[in-house]
């Protein structure tokens, strides 16, 4: 690497970025430098214009320079909310393309994958997408290979799904640069029990039973997987039972015992969560959101959405927009 074998990492910050994603990468790198007794890693913060950036927690960060002055970085990570973007997309995306052409590895953590994909630089590359953004991501980028793995790491592109995944990614960088012993010691410093790698899937709420944290029974988990694969074209409970090789009554009993809900209500809740992602993190018309989760019209979506969240999709979107504009506050990110 350049600069006396140091790895230079640049964090491109947008308003609303999750602060934990920044610290979860920097802190293990800092510890690795201390343990190794050398500056194996260095880092800096940049923003589009060199302006201060406000995190999702409301803490403001001082950028050291604008993106246009970012040169010779080995790795550049985008940190943002899903709705973040460049003030001048042509200029910002051009700067990213220029860095990529000159050998910089480009990556995104959590919501940072959204502006990275919008730049066009992830075409043909798989992307790690946090489960809470999955529906919004697929709605905006149906052609991109979205993965549920915590880390998706290739030669020139790194993506990670959230702060803990960012910590894992930092451990991988440490292992590659300084060896497994130091990576393990860093993990122990922070009581990080294991280093997750490629192929490890995210833990999602649907995979556990209410109040217990235990895994869903295999039959229920298989049903949930089928539900997740049939959002835009809903599948009947009878068809789910048929595919799994049990009776609809067995599915009903298994869901009631494991979740306290009927399978149809559980399925509807999954669809409502997907709908809310699109309401909050996209600008898609409500009619398109209804179609995306399998409704033939807006009316039943509004009814079920109001039942789930206490207000209609349009009211929810207006509330979020007021939050962004009137309070000048970024939407909380993960």
């Amino acid at each position: 690497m350049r600069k006396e074998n140091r790895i230079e990492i640049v964090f491109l910050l947008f308003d609303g970025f999750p602060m934990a994603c920044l610290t979860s990468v920097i802190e293990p790198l800092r510890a690795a430098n201390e343990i190794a007794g050398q500056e194996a890693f260095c880092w800096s913060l940049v923003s589009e214009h060199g302006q201060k950036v406000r995190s999702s927690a409301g803490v403001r960060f001082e950028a050291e320079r604008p993106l246009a002055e970012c040169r010779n970085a080995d790795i550049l990570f985008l940190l943002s909310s899903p709705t973040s973007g460049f003030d001048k997309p042509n200029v910002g995306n051009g700067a990213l393309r220029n860095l990529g052409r000159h050998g910089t590895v480009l990556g995104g953590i959590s919501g940072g994958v959204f502006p990275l994909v919008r730049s066009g630089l992830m075409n043909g590359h798989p992307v790690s997408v946090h489960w809470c953004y999955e529906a919004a991501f697929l709605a905006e980028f149906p052609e991109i290979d979205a993965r549920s793995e915590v880390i998706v790491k290739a030669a020139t592109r790194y993506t990670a799904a959230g702060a803990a995944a960012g910590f894992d990614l930092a451990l991988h960088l440490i292992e590659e640069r300084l060896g497994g012993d130091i990576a393990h010691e860093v993990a122990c410093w922070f009581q990080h029990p294991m280093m997750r790698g490629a192929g490890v899937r995210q833990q999602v709420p649907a995979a556990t039973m209410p109040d217990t944290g235990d895994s869903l029974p295999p039959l229920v988990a298989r049903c949930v997987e089928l539900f997740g694969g049939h959002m835009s074209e809903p599948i009947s409970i009878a068809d789910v039972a048929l595919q799994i090789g049990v009776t609809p009554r067995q599915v009903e009993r298994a869901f009631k015992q494991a979740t306290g809900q009927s399978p149809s209500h559980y399925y509807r809740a999954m669809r409502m969560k997907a709908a809310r992602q699109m309401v909050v993190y996209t600008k898609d018309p409500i009619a398109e959101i209804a179609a995306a989760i399998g409704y033939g019209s807006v009316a039943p979506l509004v009814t079920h959405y109001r039942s789930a969240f206490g207000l209609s999709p349009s009211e929810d979107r207006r509330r979020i927009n007021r939050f962004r504009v009137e309070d000048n506050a970024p939407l909380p990110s993960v």
Side-chain angles (χ1 to χ4, degrees), residues 130-132 148 150 196 200-208 213 215:
H130 195 290
W131 63 266
C132 80
S148 61
V150 293
R196 300 172 298 174
V200 177
R201 295 172 64 88
Q202 299 173 48
Q203 292 291 317
V204 300
T208 59
S215 296

Side-chain angles (χ1 to χ4, degrees), residues 247-285:
T247 68
R249 179 59 182 157
Q250 286 175 290
V251 173
E252 291 278 349
R253 282 201 305 265
F255 265 87
K256 282 286 189 180
Q257 184 174 359
T259 71
Q261 296 177 283
S262 69
S264 59
H265 279 85
Y266 193 97
Y267 191 10
R268 181 190 299 171
M270 289 177 63
R271 294 165 68 194
M272 289 304 101
K273 288 176 183 177
R276 190 162 196 271
Q277 287 184 30
M278 289 183 272
V279 167
V280 172
Y281 296 118
T282 76
K283 297 179 181 179
D284 293 349

Side-chain angles (χ1 to χ4, degrees), residues 8-14 44-53 63-73 75-79 85-100 104-107 115-116 119 121:
E8 180 178 344
I9 300 175
V10 171
F11 296 92
L12 173 58
L13 307 181
F14 293 82
S44 58
L45 310 181
V46 306
S47 60
E48 182 177 2
H49 308 297
Q51 78 278 16
K52 288 183 179 180
V53 179
E64 298 173 38
R65 59 190 185 279
L67 176 61
E69 295 179 12
C70 180
R71 297 177 179 85
N72 298 325
I75 304 170
L76 183 142
F77 287 119
L78 282 75
L79 300 182
F86 290 114
D87 290 337
K88 298 181 178 179
N90 289 339
V91 176
N93 292 334
L96 293 181
R97 286 193 293 271
N98 185 58
L99 286 166
T104 297
V105 173
L106 300 174
L116 180 60
S119 73
L121 288 163

Side-chain angles (χ1 to χ4, degrees), residues 10-31:
V10 171
F11 296 92
L12 173 58
L13 307 181
F14 293 82
D15 278 330
F17 81 93
M19 189 168 62
C21 291
L22 177 63
T23 58
S24 69
V25 178
I26 289 178
E27 281 299 298
L29 299 180
R30 185 267 308 169

Side-chain angles (χ1 to χ4, degrees), residues 1-2 25 39 41 62 82 100 104 130 163 204 227 288 307:
M1 293 288 183
R2 295 179 286 274
V25 178
E39 191 180 28
F41 301 95
E62 189 87 43
T104 297
H130 195 290
V204 300
F227 292 161
E288 290 185 12
S307 176

Side-chain angles (χ1 to χ4, degrees), residues 121-150:
L121 288 163
M122 294 304 291
N123 293 341
H125 296 278
V127 179
S128 172
V129 179
H130 195 290
W131 63 266
C132 80
Y133 299 144
E134 181 181 18
F137 186 92
L138 294 176
E140 185 174 354
F141 311 113
E143 74 286 356
I144 296 293
D145 181 8
R147 303 280 180 88
S148 61
E149 285 90 348
V150 293

